[in-house]
Amino acid sequence: MKHDDDIKLRYLSLMSRNFPNIATASTEIINLEAILNLPKGTEHFLADLHGEYEAFQHVLRNASGTIKRKVREIFNDSLAPREQKELCTLIYYPELKLGLVKKNFEDDAELNDWYFITINRLVRVLRNVSSKYTRSKVHKALPDDFSYIIQELMQESVNDPNKQAYVDVIVRTIISTGRAADFIVAMCNVIQRLTIDVLHILGDVFDRGPSPDKIMDILCHYHNLDIQWGNHDILWMGAASGNDCCIANVLRIALRYGNHGVLEDGYGINLLPLATFAMDMYKDDPCKPFIPKDGSAKDPERQRTAQLVAQMHKAISIIQFKLEAAAIKRRPDFEMNDRLLLDKMDLKRGIITIAGTEYPLLDTNFPTVDPKHPFKLTAEEEAIVNQLHNSFTQSDRLRKHMKCMFRNGCIYTIVNGNLLYHASIPLNEDGTFKDVKVQGKSYQGEALLKKAGNLIREAYFGKEEDPDHEYALDYVWYLWCGKDSPAFDKDKMATFERYFLADKATHKETKGYYYSLRNNEEVVDRILDAFGVQGQFRHIINGHVPVKTIKGESPVKANGKLMVIDGGFSKAYQPETGIAGYTLVYHSRGFQLVQHEPFTSIDKAVKEGQDIKSTIQLVEMTNHRMLVQDTDIGTELKSQIADLQMLLEAYRNGDIKERAWRPITNKR
């Protein structure tokens, strides 16, 4: 007992360095109690961005329609809809919009009047979006150049006759000193930042779309973010770790969608050796199954490029199948022998035998496949693999983005009563957790996700001499396409069949039981219980599988306890979903699901004021406004208050002596 008291006293002594007397400890308690009674911050959940940078950044800039709603609430009686639209566009794209505005005014006096009116309007919007935060938190969000001025404008009311002249002079001086444009940009950026308190990305930043690198640039500098890794993210993490199977898959997908530019221009990956090899090896091959899905083959000016991309696409696909065969043979515990297909081909007869059934091949030109040793890389292919390996592992920008993924992400997280993961929890047919073998040991549920997350980190950060490192590298690839992977959870990835077989029955990838059981409330409750998620309003939030809204599928399942928010940010999926993505918004009143229509372009958004058309669906509204005290941060603050109360008691009973306040420095 005395030992526990000693530990408690040492802990309180450490606390006393920051709160050296009753006055400072009491002040902090008052501050924390006040914070507990503020409305909770607004959380935004997005999934499956798939490189669609323009649509993603617009959704961030307009806060999934929240800014438009706030502008309408503030100015509905004083501004026409056109003026409201102009103000919203300015907030979304201040630099671009200001460039257009300046061209519309020939007279400086008129421009200055516009500046004056606009700054006052922006102040009103900023007051509104900052109202649920402490002054300290708002201060931290303000740019250094204008922090004092913005705070003064926010705190003073133009409705007070004694302050109106003071406020007017501040704004007029901003304009007269030539700082109006910079000030407006700063104000708009702060409005954007404060409208979204926390951003949750539920996986798949990468692949299909043209600019995942630009999305990562935004995420790496975002003020409050967490990422749940999706299978496409894990694929890139594996490639950056040096797994050659992952590298081949990343390159194949980029070529399939005509987005190889992100590799060359975005990450500095040298594709010239592959292009030279492909032109030589497949020069007379039309490579029809490998024509990129970007429409370039139909454009006369881009046909030659499309043909080269198709040749490269085929070349890397064959290399991929060979590399994966080596991994499958090296890891019999992956149970993926059904993916060994190159040795099942009879090129003379033009058929392949799968599970005892013969299928005609759409393509029999395999110049690098030796029938006697079908899985062996040629010397030229091996040289390409080595060169690509070096390019991926030595890319500085890719390394920076992967470290951001690790710093802000994990394979799952629990926040404010919500369990977030990208895809699945492997289940048995009866809804119980499936035992999955990893390195000879069985894992299920949360333990499986933790093990997968640990191996992903080992693959990237581990040392080559560590015996677990090689297994971890292979397992990252398994997470991309293995049947018991919680990031994939299908019986196979039918890549070969989609390219080379006409029979669509062979293309089918059977999903795990999770996907058919996730509408079962009892199963969802079992998962939530196993992960220790508490609370009356608790949920699972997923992405991964696009919701077929066009066919009437609902993203809300299991009586509201599970939500799937992959609505088709990726243009490749929009014909299937009928929409262009979801944002799940969790504010102090509850959950709203925002359904987005396709985004046109930044140019039209700026010049014509075109915004993403969004439809709001109420998912779950609480009967009382949620406060900070109802959140995870609230639980933490309550714990801090309890500790401070103990410190006060220690001061009052003399266990710890009070001291005068002195700022802590590093000087000795």
Side-chain angles (χ1 to χ4, degrees), residues 83 213 224 256 272 360 530 536 600 622 626:
E83 292 175 298
D213 57 323
N224 197 352
R256 178 177 175 82
L272 183 58
Q536 179 184 359
T600 50
T622 58
M626 289 190 67

Side-chain angles (χ1 to χ4, degrees), residues 482-662:
K483 64 178 181 178
D484 288 329
S485 161
F488 179 63
D489 197 10
K490 298 179 185 178
D491 67 332
K492 65 183 178 184
M493 187 173 285
T495 308
F496 181 95
E497 290 90 334
R498 288 195 298 269
Y499 285 133
F500 296 111
L501 303 183
D503 190 337
K504 292 193 181 298
T506 65
H507 302 182
K508 185 178 179 182
E509 299 170 348
T510 303
K511 297 183 182 73
Y513 291 115
Y514 174 85
Y515 299 105
S516 57
L517 293 171
R518 63 186 179 178
N519 204 31
N520 185 315
E521 188 175 353
E522 183 181 341
V523 171
V524 171
D525 277 330
R526 184 180 299 134
I527 295 172
L528 289 165
D529 289 341
F531 278 80
V533 184
Q534 304 295 322
Q536 179 184 359
F537 303 104
R538 59 179 190 167
H539 312 87
I540 295 173
I541 304 175
N542 289 161
H544 189 56
V545 179
V547 177
K548 297 179 176 63
T549 306
I550 198 171
K551 294 184 179 179
E553 182 182 359
S554 171
V556 182
K557 303 179 186 298
N559 197 25
K561 292 186 176 179
L562 186 146
M563 289 172 269
V564 184
I565 59 169
D566 180 3
F569 256 98
S570 172
K571 290 179 181 176
Y573 280 141
Q574 288 171 13
E576 186 177 338
T577 62
I579 59 172
Y582 290 116
T583 304
L584 184 65
V585 180
Y586 185 25
H587 49 64
S588 59
R589 300 293 185 186
F591 280 97
Q592 291 180 324
L593 192 66
V594 183
Q595 178 179 302
H596 306 298
E597 298 300 318
F599 180 60
T600 50
S601 70
I602 292 174
D603 187 60
K604 286 191 174 183
V606 175
K607 290 181 179 178
E608 302 174 21
Q610 285 194 7
D611 203 348
I612 290 181
K613 292 182 180 178
S614 302
T615 305
I616 295 176
Q617 175 183 346
L618 298 180
V619 176
E620 181 179 279
M621 304 304 284
T622 58
N623 54 15
H624 74 284
R625 194 170 195 189
M626 289 190 67
L627 305 177
V628 172
Q629 63 183 295
D630 301 313
T631 68
D632 294 343
I633 291 174
T635 301
E636 183 181 330
L637 295 183
K638 290 174 188 175
S639 177
Q640 291 178 26
I641 290 170
D643 291 344
L644 286 163
Q645 296 281 11
M646 287 193 295
L647 181 60
L648 282 179
E649 184 181 352
Y651 283 138
R652 286 169 177 152
N653 63 27
D655 289 340
I656 297 176
K657 302 299 181 185
E658 290 188 79
R659 304 186 311 279
W661 167 252
R662 289 190 185 92

Side-chain angles (χ1 to χ4, degrees), residues 1 71 96 102-103 134 153 165 265 272 280 303 309 312 340 351 413 417 487 524 549 588 620 623 625:
M1 190 73 178
V71 166
L96 297 175
K102 290 176 183 178
K103 293 178 182 178
T134 63
L153 291 175
D265 303 328
L272 183 58
D280 179 53
Q303 282 179 351
V309 171
M312 295 167 67
L340 300 174
I351 59 100
T413 195
V524 171
T549 306
S588 59
E620 181 179 279
N623 54 15
R625 194 170 195 189

Side-chain angles (χ1 to χ4, degrees), residues 443-454:
Y443 297 87
Q444 59 172 237
E446 185 178 21
L448 174 61
L449 266 62
K450 285 183 175 179
K451 180 63 175 178
N454 289 339

Side-chain angles (χ1 to χ4, degrees), residues 156-167:
E156 304 300 348
S157 172
V158 294
N159 296 322
D160 183 346
N162 297 320
K163 293 293 186 179
Q164 184 169 355
Y166 173 69
V167 171

Side-chain angles (χ1 to χ4, degrees), residues 88 107 125 274 307 351 493 618 647:
C88 287
D107 184 271
V125 177
L274 176 64
Q307 182 60 29
I351 59 100
M493 187 173 285
L618 298 180
L647 181 60

